[in-house]
Amino acid sequence: MTTDHPFAQYVRALGKGPNMWRNLSFDEAKDAMSLILQGSVDRLQLGAFLLLLRRKGETGEELAGMTAAAREAFIGQPSLLPDVDYDWPSYADRHRQQPWFILAALLLADQGYKILMHGIEGYSDGLAPTRPGLDMLNVPMVSDFGKAAKAFETNNLVYIGLEKFCPAVQDLFELRPLLGVRTAVNTFGRDLNPANAPYQMQGVFHPPYKAMHVDTARFLGQPKAMVFKGGGGEVMRNPMKPSRVDMLVGEVSHEIVWPALTTVTTYKWREEDLSPTQLKKMWNGSLSLPVPELGIIGTLAVALKMALPDLSPTELDARATDIWQTRDKMRFD
């Protein structure tokens, strides 16, 4: 008589048939992901688990459990990091528009806030991933938490790749081309917050994902988070439409509606010049693209809300506009 693999119980829970599956508890989801990250799960089991979970629909509690398991799999010591103010994940793998949000993060860093940006490499062929943009703007990209701590001594914005601090989760991202769909990994990767920063920015692909990310942050005890539909699934506000932002403060969340910043209703994001030099040109003022410029300002305004909670969206938009207009345009010359 054979004994079931320990992981089989979680596959069974998700695969009993139409309307018969159940949600996993935090502890079950954490244990399941721990087994996966330890390499104790067969690839066939792993694919079945992720696809069944996708069919059912992940819950915030499940994603929080998986995030907790991933945090225990970090390489190195996050405790080496100084007090970081903002967690800024960048996990969209196919940028069909410029990562203008990098400029918003730079502006935020110039206000004295420390920001740890982290994410995956993304595809580059005909696309505009985050890392070349960071390199163009001299943002330190480090290989471990110790080097990140050192970089924070002279910089307020630092980047670390997922493969550097949690290669086991990075390996799971590589399954997307094989499975053909996004999985829970693409979702909970955004919640890792390796620096345990009190303020977390979350840009999601589709509005229905907002509540799931808010619930995940709540289960994880995230002090403050801003979750909204972002351009290309990144932390980038669309200035042509009202932006519906879910703000989590402790256990309580509420929606803030940011107004559109322009009456212009059409901008062809996917026809942009995707060279990373465009980011530098936008910063130094030699490139004029009013809609992306307002997107940068609007993204900064959303981020500032967590640090300046008493200011209204309109006041924060005005504050962010002033920060943009008074930036050091000669910084990258």
Side-chain angles (χ1 to χ4, degrees):
M1 179 176 177
T2 59
T3 302
D4 280 351
H5 188 284
F7 191 76
Q9 60 181 311
Y10 303 123
V11 178
R12 278 199 301 271
L14 300 174
K16 292 182 177 180
N19 303 318
M20 294 178 64
W21 56 78
R22 66 173 178 83
N23 297 329
L24 301 180
S25 69
F26 176 95
D27 289 337
E28 287 176 322
K30 181 181 178 182
D31 185 55
M33 186 51 61
S34 293
L35 289 169
I36 291 169
L37 298 179
Q38 292 164 10
S40 301
V41 174
D42 181 85
R43 301 288 274 186
L44 182 61
Q45 289 177 309
L46 173 58
F49 176 79
L50 292 175
L51 292 177
L52 287 169
L53 192 62
R54 177 183 169 88
R55 182 192 67 169
K56 177 188 73 67
E58 304 94 337
T59 67
E61 184 172 2
E62 290 168 335
L63 292 167
M66 289 185 274
T67 303
R71 288 176 176 178
E72 292 183 357
F74 285 175
I75 301 296
Q77 301 178 54
S79 60
L80 294 174
L81 294 169
D83 290 338
V84 171
D85 301 296
Y86 282 84
D87 177 67
W88 197 303
S90 176
Y91 284 84
D93 55 4
R94 290 177 171 86
H95 287 186
R96 293 181 173 85
Q97 62 190 66
Q98 279 286 352
W100 300 114
F101 60 87
I102 296 174
L103 299 185
L106 274 175
L107 293 169
L108 184 63
D110 284 348
Q111 303 310 297
Y113 300 107
K114 292 190 181 300
I115 306 158
L116 184 66
M117 188 177 287
H118 54 96
I120 56 176
E121 183 174 10
Y123 295 95
S124 58
D125 188 19
L127 301 169
T130 300
R131 296 183 189 183
L134 293 169
D135 186 52
M136 177 63 60
L137 298 169
N138 302 323
V139 175
M141 291 187 281
V142 300
S143 58
D144 59 51
F145 292 125
K147 290 183 174 64
K150 185 68 176 176
F152 272 122
E153 293 178 4
T154 53
N155 299 269
N156 281 341
L157 175 60
V158 175
Y159 178 93
I160 186 168
L162 177 64
E163 74 279 6
K164 304 298 185 183
F165 70 91
C166 200
V169 172
Q170 172 65 45
D171 289 345
L172 299 182
F173 271 90
E174 304 301 329
L175 292 174
R176 184 187 174 189
L178 181 63
L179 297 177
V181 295
R182 297 179 186 275
T183 68
V185 181
N186 298 85
T187 304
F188 80 73
R190 301 162 187 266
D191 297 294
L192 292 175
N193 192 359
N196 196 30
Y199 306 150
Q200 186 176 60
M201 295 288 280
Q202 289 278 10
V204 302
F205 280 98
H206 306 294
Y209 283 91
K210 290 198 302 174
M212 190 164 54
H213 278 282
V214 171
D215 285 344
T216 303
R218 185 182 290 115
F219 270 106
L220 291 169
Q222 177 64 35
K224 289 187 178 182
M226 304 295 273
V227 185
F228 59 99
K229 182 182 184 301
E234 292 285 11
V235 181
M236 178 68 184
R237 179 175 155 195
N238 183 348
M240 296 184 293
K241 298 178 180 179
S243 184
R244 310 185 76 90
V245 180
D246 287 350
M247 181 174 184
L248 176 70
V249 181
E251 292 290 315
V252 180
S253 63
H254 64 282
E255 185 180 71
I256 303 173
V257 181
W258 248 273
L261 291 173
T262 177
T263 57
V264 174
T265 58
T266 302
Y267 176 78
K268 296 181 179 180
W269 299 98
R270 295 193 175 188
E271 294 183 11
E272 290 182 328
D273 179 343
L274 298 182
S275 168
T277 59
Q278 296 293 92
L279 295 168
K280 184 184 289 189
K281 290 177 180 178
M282 178 70 89
W283 182 277
N284 67 26
S286 62
L287 175 67
S288 178
L289 294 173
V291 171
E293 180 176 310
L294 290 172
I296 295 163
I297 291 168
T299 302
L300 174 61
V302 172
L304 286 171
K305 179 64 175 177
M306 288 183 281
L308 304 171
D310 293 334
L311 296 186
S312 69
T314 301
E315 290 171 324
L316 288 164
D317 284 341
R319 176 74 65 90
T321 300
D322 181 65
I323 291 171
W324 171 254
Q325 292 177 345
T326 58
R327 71 193 184 281
D328 176 11
K329 293 183 179 180
M330 306 300 290
R331 177 174 178 171
F332 300 110
D333 285 352

